[in-house]
C-alpha cells in the first residue's frame, strides 16, 4: 500500500470540519486559526519556560519537547511534497511559498530547539496542545500550496507585494534569529538566572525575537496573500503579543533598573 497524505486528510480531517471538498476545508481551517488567535488573548499564561508549572502534567526535557512540538509544521508539509498528488505544486511560486513556511519551522524546531538553553521541563499538556497545533498548521499550509491554489508565475512574481513581502520575511527571520542569539548569550550553560537583554531591537522592546517572527509571518502573508498565511500571521501576532506583554511585565517586576521607556513588542506602540 502506497502512503498518501491526501487520502489520510480526506478520511480523517474532512470529517472534523464537516467539509465535503478541499475548498471548504481550507476556508474552515483558516477561520479556525483566526478564532484560535482571538482565544489566545483570553487564555491563561502559557506554562512553559520561566512560567513552567508541572501541575499541568509530567515534564519533558525542554529541548526535546520544543523540537517535537514544533516539528510537524515542517515535516507534515514535506510529506505532501514528497508523497502527495501535488496538483498545484508545479508552480514555482507555490513551491517558494511552501518552502518559506517549511524553512521557518525547520529553523524554529530543529536549529532553535538544539541551541535553546533552559532548565525547566515542559509540562505535558501544553506540549500536547502545541504539537496538535503544529500538525494543524502543517496540514493547512501543505494542502493549500500543493493541492488547492496554483499561482501564475508570470504574474505573481512581478507583483510588488511579492517582493515587499519576501523582503519582510527575510528581514523578520534575521531579527528573530538575532534576538534568540542575544538571549542565549545572556545565559551560560547551566545558568538559571535571568539578565536584562540589550542591544539591537532589545534597546526598544523587551521581545525582539517575537517581533522578528511577527514581521516574518506578515511578510509571508503579504507575499502570498493566501488565506492560511494571513490567518497564521494574525494568530502569530495575537499569541506572541500576549506572550511579550507577559515577559515585559515579568521584567519590570524582576528588575528595578529595567528601562521604563521600552515597549513590550512593537517599538513606541505596545
Amino acid at each position: 500500500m502506497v502512503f498518501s497524505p491526501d487520502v489520510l486528510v480526506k478520511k480523517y480531517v474532512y470529517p472534523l470540519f464537516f467539509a465535503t471538498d478541499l475548498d471548504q476545508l481550507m476556508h474552515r481551517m483558516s477561520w479556525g486559526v483566526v478564532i484560535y488567535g482571538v482565544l489566545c488573548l483570553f487564555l491563561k499564561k502559557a506554562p512553559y519556560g520561566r512560567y513552567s508549572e508541572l501541575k499541568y502534567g509530567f515534564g519533558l526535557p525542554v529541548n526535546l519537547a520544543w523540537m517535537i512540538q514544533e516539528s510537524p509544521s515542517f515535516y507534515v508539509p514535506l510529506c505532501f511534497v514528497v508523497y502527495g498528488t501535488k496538483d498545484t505544486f508545479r508552480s514555482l511560486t507555490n513551491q517558494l511559498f511552501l518552502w518559506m513556511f517549511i524553512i521557518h519551522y525547520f529553523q524554529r524546531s530543529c536549529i532553535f530547539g538544539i541551541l535553546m538553553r533552559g532548565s525547566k521541563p515542559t509540562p505535558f499538556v501544553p506540549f500536547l496542545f502545541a504539537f496538535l497545533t503544529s500538525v494543524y498548521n502543517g496540514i493547512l499550509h501543505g494542502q493549500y500550496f500543493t493541492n488547492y491554489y496554483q499561482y501564475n508565475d508570470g504574474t505573481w512574481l512581478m507583483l510588488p507585494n511579492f517582493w515587499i513581502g519576501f523582503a519582510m520575511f527575510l528581514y523578520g527571520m534575521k531579527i528573530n534569529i538575532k534576538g534568540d542569539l542575544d538571549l542565549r548569550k545572556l545565559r551560560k550553560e547551566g545558568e538559571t538566572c535571568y539578565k536584562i537583554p540589550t542591544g539591537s531591537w532589545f534597546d526598544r522592546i523587551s521581545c525582539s525575537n517575537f517581533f522578528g517572527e511577527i514581521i516574518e509571518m506578515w511578510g509571508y502573508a503579504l507575499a502570498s496573500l493566501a488565506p492560511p498565511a494571513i490567518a497564521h500571521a494574525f494568530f502569530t501576532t495575537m499569541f506572541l503579543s500576549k506572550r511579550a506583554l507577559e515577559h515585559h511585565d515579568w521584567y519590570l517586576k524582576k528588575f528595578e533598573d529595567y528601562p521604563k521607556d521600552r515597549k513590550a513588542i512593537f517599538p513606541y506602540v505596545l
Side-chain angles (χ1 to χ4, degrees):
M1 179 178 177
V2 178
F3 172 71
S4 174
D6 305 305
V7 172
L8 293 177
V9 167
K10 289 181 180 179
K11 185 175 181 179
Y12 296 107
V13 182
Y14 276 47
L16 292 176
F17 293 89
F18 304 99
T20 58
D21 55 41
L22 190 56
D23 183 68
Q24 286 186 346
L25 183 68
M26 292 295 94
H27 282 85
R28 291 174 185 181
M29 289 187 74
S30 296
W31 277 111
V33 174
V34 173
I35 294 169
Y36 190 17
V38 174
L39 291 177
C40 282
L41 300 178
F42 303 97
L43 297 176
K44 292 183 179 180
K45 190 179 297 181
Y48 64 85
R50 69 193 70 179
Y51 313 111
S52 182
E53 299 178 45
L54 290 186
K55 68 180 182 180
Y56 289 89
F58 65 87
L60 298 172
V62 61
N63 295 72
L64 179 63
W66 184 272
M67 292 174 69
I68 293 175
Q69 73 185 31
E70 296 292 312
S71 60
S73 286
F74 86 81
Y75 71 67
V76 170
L78 202 56
C79 283
F80 288 114
V81 172
V82 176
Y83 299 106
T85 56
K86 300 184 287 293
D87 290 336
T88 63
F89 205 58
R90 63 179 65 91
S91 164
L92 175 63
T93 312
N94 283 59
Q95 296 172 23
L96 176 61
F97 289 147
L98 188 56
W99 280 114
M100 287 166 68
F101 185 81
I102 290 173
I103 288 171
H104 168 76
Y105 278 103
F106 177 80
Q107 193 282 136
R108 293 302 297 161
S109 61
C110 293
I111 299 175
F112 174 76
I114 292 172
L115 296 176
M116 71 184 300
R117 293 175 181 172
S119 57
K120 293 184 178 180
T122 300
F124 180 75
V125 174
F127 157 79
L128 179 61
F129 274 99
F131 177 81
L132 294 176
T133 299
S134 295
V135 172
Y136 185 110
N137 286 328
I139 293 171
L140 175 58
H141 293 259
Q143 279 285 276
Y144 187 88
F145 291 112
T146 63
N147 271 327
Y148 179 68
Y149 184 82
Q150 183 170 334
Y151 291 83
N152 184 312
D153 292 337
T155 300
W156 204 266
L157 295 178
M158 297 296 107
L159 295 176
N161 67 283
F162 168 78
W163 291 104
I164 295 171
F166 189 63
M168 285 176 59
F169 176 83
L170 294 178
Y171 182 59
M173 179 176 282
K174 178 183 177 182
I175 296 174
N176 177 246
I177 294 174
K178 178 66 164 57
D180 288 332
L181 176 62
D182 290 341
L183 290 175
R184 281 197 300 273
K185 287 180 178 179
L186 292 179
R187 300 177 67 185
K188 295 180 181 179
E189 195 67 37
E191 283 189 346
T192 57
C193 61
Y194 288 88
K195 301 173 185 177
I196 299 175
T198 57
S200 189
W201 284 97
F202 279 117
D203 290 335
R204 300 178 180 87
I205 53 178
S206 295
C207 299
S208 170
N209 49 338
F210 294 169
F211 175 59
E213 188 166 354
I214 289 174
I215 292 178
E216 193 178 352
M217 290 298 97
W218 278 111
Y220 169 59
L222 179 61
S224 65
L225 296 182
I230 296 170
H232 188 67
F234 175 80
F235 167 80
T236 301
T237 304
M238 295 297 101
F239 180 78
L240 293 184
S241 293
K242 184 175 184 293
R243 189 72 172 168
L245 289 170
E246 293 168 353
H247 280 14
H248 185 67
D249 184 60
W250 184 88
Y251 278 126
L252 290 172
K253 291 177 179 177
K254 186 172 181 63
F255 301 103
E256 293 183 0
D257 58 339
Y258 195 75
K260 299 299 187 291
D261 58 340
R262 278 192 196 179
K263 296 298 183 181
I265 190 165
F266 298 116
Y268 314 110
V269 178
L270 180 66

